[in-house]
Amino acid sequence: MAGGGGGGGPLLVLDDVSKRFGGLLAVSHLTLTVRRGELRCLIGPNGAGKSTVFKLIMGFERPSGGAITFDGTSIDRWPTWRRARQGLSIKMQIPGIYPELSVAANMRVAAQYHVRGGQMEEAIGRLLARVGLAGLGHVLTKNLSHGEQQWLEIGMALSVNPKLLLLDEPTAGMGPGETGATAQLIESLNADGVTILVIEHDMTFVRQIARTVTVMHLGQVFAEGTIAEIEAHPGVTDIYLGKT
Amino acid sequence: MLDVSHVTAGYGRTMIVRDVSLAIQPGEIVAIIGRNGVGKTTLMKAIIGLLPLVQGTISLAGAAITAAPANDRAQRGIGYVPQGRGIFPGLTVEENLEMGTLINARVGGERRHDVAFQYFPHLAERRRQRAGTLSGGEQAMLAIGRVLIGRPTLMLLDEPSEGLQPNLVQQIGDDIKRINAELGTTVLFVEQNIELVMNLSQRGYVIDKGQVSATLSVAEVTNQDALIRHLTV
Amino acid sequence: MRRGGWLLSAENVAFVVFLSFLLVYPLTTDEFSVLNTAYFMAISLMALSLALIWGKAGILSFGQTAFFGIGGYLYGIYTLNVLGSGATWIGILAGVVAGAIVAATLGYFMFYGGVNDVFVGLTTLALTLVLQTFMAQTAGSEWTVGEARLNGYNGMYVPQISVGDAPLYGKPLYFLYLAFLIGVYLLLRWLSGTRWGYGLLALQENRPRTETFGYNVRLMQVQVFCLAGAVAALSGVLYASWGSYIDPSSMGITAAITPVIYVAIGGRRSLTAAMISSMILLKVSQSLASSAPQYALVIFGLLALLAVLFVPEGFMVAVFNALDRWVFRRPPANHGGETNDATPGTRQVS
Amino acid sequence: MLDGVFNALYQFQVSFSFLLLSAIGLAVIFGMMGVINLAHGEFMMLGAYITTIVATAGVPVPLAMLLGALGVGLFGAIVEILVVRRLYGRLLDSVAATWAVGLILSQGMLILTGPSMQGISSPFGSFSVGATSYSWYRVVLGVIALVLLGSLYLVFMKTRYGLRARATIQNPAIAQALGVDTARMYTITFALGSALAGLAGGLFAPTATIVPFFGTNYIVEAFVTVIVGGANALVGTPIAAMLLGAVNAALGTEFGLYIGRVGLLLTTILIIRVLPDGISGLLDRWRMRPTGTRSGK
């Protein structure tokens, strides 16, 4: 399906989901629907609960209440690996690459459940080219630059042919050039039909890529709409300035 | 007071802060502002010494501390209030305060919990309570009160407003101003909360993508429109 | 990924030289040395087992000696009770399966319980020591299983491996052991290159991340623990039948530490280094044993300490890497069996 | 009947004190640094040797035991500085390295002193309840275990070192940023844990034969107690020692020493299936349970 508007049916549904850590309610009765083909940004001030939402979707944390449905199936009781095989994929905030393995080995580790052995080399080459790392397969991953490591991780997350790709701060620590390239990459992935949910702080980046923006605040959805609507929303400015 | 010169620092091969220079005079209150994820917290960690520098130098009151470990910098007089407060949840309020006694230990002198209670009387009622059970506002007070015990010459505050209700933000700002005025403590703080920046700072630096992108005068740090340009979405 | 010449690495050359030597060796020496070397090969399977569990999967297990003992005892109990042709072969299988079952059970409790890292070491060491103390008190005549008398520290008699009714001796025994050693080695090297083997490398570095790529991490941990237990049990079977004897000291603390020491010195990430260095160190240890066995262990302890502190990849692997770089002109090959390159120091963060 | 009750209590008390004394040094180091000192048994052995040699030379036995603790504590500090410190963040390597240290110690002792040494006799004699004779010294050991636990509690709860140690456990970076020299804290803690191992060795010396493998008699107890107790030495370790002491005493009295040990292991394996972080992990979770007060971030 063509990228853009997000006219497909619901792919991921979080229904009244909460997560409590001790005395802290990190996610509070959150309801959120991601539709097939969407490219959506999740923004909000520090501590709004964005990364916790990703952890709940991926199964690193279990919700204290509420239900998560993915692709029409309730996945609440599934371990992480099963969610992954069902088409959920993540690029984490803290780099989730294997520094002691080569770039190609990293890709292979990621792709093994989704690419047949015979097509592995070809698939790895294609994916590395896609994320701008062509020809670097033999490099030891810890020797990549920071931006390259981020792209590698996007490539790894992509190699599983995800139905939904979760990107947690894909441009963190990148310079302006790298940020722009990353935005283009994400747009082209979405144009190819990958549904993407991305947490990002860099608003230039958000403006460039986002069709829909969800603003989180205090563990809840605070506002939702197009980037223009969000920028015009007086409350959103206020929460960023700490007024509410 | 504090001289940060051409500092580059980061994690592994990732340089989050690049070639940053700051100069803070004794008695000043200076803000570091910028959006999420631009390197403000990394800069604070580099100043207190929790992150080694790749390049650059730091000196405190004329003495080079570039290579000193964090505990040494604290003992030389820096009181660090980290992002998320960094209180010890399993220790009582009183024990948390006691942990501040090593700050400025080079100078020595009497270290009494009264200083903290003087500015945050609310803490006195909770002194035997586990710090982990305090509310967010109380934890913020505890984190500042804890460093006050050692009478730091320089306080580093990393987002003191984080997670606080607006009235508490106002309160904390006033408290910090009183501390600065009455104890003469120099204050360098990282903040995104515009109210607090306007309430507190005498001048400021803007950080963007790991670098100082602008310096702000008194007029600019109290001008809402100027700040909004640097801070908002 | 590079293709051409990937077989030509220091590690592979070392293996070929090692294998050639072992194939030729029996033709050049006396019966005693041949049997003695067969003994080394039996013990070296322990090193392979440890290189698999510790080097490939990042699980430090001190329980391999427990599985070693279980294999040896079970083999003995089976072959003493079931006589007739072919019994010893099924006995070998029985020992190996017993080791695998115990390892799988313990592994289930540990890994599905969420126990990892140091706690696995502690738990497996406790298993080893408890099994030893249990076997130590079986001297009484009530501790018999059918025809097999466990016999505490006096040791249990264990039948030798036989073909028909004739026990294997000399060169046939030697080549049988060689076949076991090389067979297991090749199996493990093959497994390291499969999807499963790559998964192990990945989970060793980052378990939660590896789960997000669809790997059932806990199950894989149980699987590799079970496989390593089976290899250790095979080692125990071959050891027991070689000497017609097993006693609880084979599960003692010294028995538990020596393979760890051998593998730490040689290099835990390389099956080849672990296997070859354990053969060499066993030989050295035996040469010293007649004069002063305790000196050998002190020296090995110091070597292991130096290795951990200063050459964490292991002495033999360090040599392999140096040879790869300077002789074979290729990047070191001990990262997932893939070639890789550590050269691009020129690129900078923008 | 009363005899039986007394016997059961006595056995429980003995099991408890041996478990606690064996484990406490290991637990202190593990709780603070996350490092498992696999030379723990050899440190106990070293304590037993120093105590025995010094006592044989004519020094009063209690003083000899303290000297043993002191000597092993110093040795521990050296090991921390030379070995353990270099392996922070490489947990498995630190385990392997301390094991190598243990091997060097036990084999070195074998070279230096030979396979065994004349021990010191158990002080205080014995007493009888009903037809059974009991050792006073083992009762005293129980008292010492409790006194030691109490002293440790005071050290960790009432001294500056203790406060800084607890803060370092909770958040080493913040503790350091508040002026605590965390590297020195680790050295002191490792030395303290080693001294406790040495003291335990000295205390056990009169009850056992003095051989280079002395420590292996106690490390199973030490390890299972630490596994079950978890990272909190002050709370987890004594509770684990009580629980395992009960199992050990019950099975040991009925079926003998070895079955008692097997029981310890099986109990441990069952407990880790439910409580991977041990008893202190459970207590922490309970302590941090939701209280209903909503704190800010």
Side-chain angles (χ1 to χ4, degrees), chain A residues 58 60 79-81 84-85 88 90-92 96 98-102 104-105 108-110 112-114 121 124 136 138-140 143-146 148 153 156 160 178, chain C residues 1-3 193-199 201-203 205-206 208-217 220 269 335-336 338-344 347-350:
Chain A
M58 218 49 223
F60 294 138
T80 299
W81 59 268
R85 288 192 196 175
L88 275 167
I90 187 169
K91 187 212 88 71
M92 308 207 274
Y98 306 103
E100 298 294 332
L101 302 183
S102 70
R108 187 171 166 183
V109 164
Q112 285 195 101
Y113 276 98
H114 309 275
E121 295 216 10
I124 289 175
L136 295 181
H138 57 285
V139 174
L140 206 56
N143 293 316
L144 291 181
S145 78
H146 178 65
E148 289 167 335
E153 201 180 348
M156 289 163 75
V160 305
E178 289 172 325
Chain C
M1 229 176 283
R2 283 186 207 176
R3 265 283 159 222
T194 63
R195 173 161 96 177
W196 187 76
Y198 268 82
L201 277 182
L203 72 84
E205 284 199 50
N206 189 340
R209 185 48 168 156
T210 304
E211 239 187 274
T212 67
F213 294 122
Y215 296 86
N216 188 345
V217 165
M220 288 173 66
R269 278 198 174 226
H335 295 283
E338 289 300 317
T339 57
N340 56 55
D341 192 336
T343 48
R347 271 198 320 281
Q348 285 296 318
V349 183
S350 58

Side-chain angles (χ1 to χ4, degrees), chain D residues 255-278:
Chain D
F255 305 105
L257 171 70
Y258 299 107
I259 301 291
R261 270 202 181 170
V262 174
L264 281 186
L265 181 76
L266 292 179
T267 311
T268 304
I269 290 174
L270 288 175
I271 287 177
I272 57 168
R273 178 65 184 85
V274 203
L275 301 175
D277 302 322

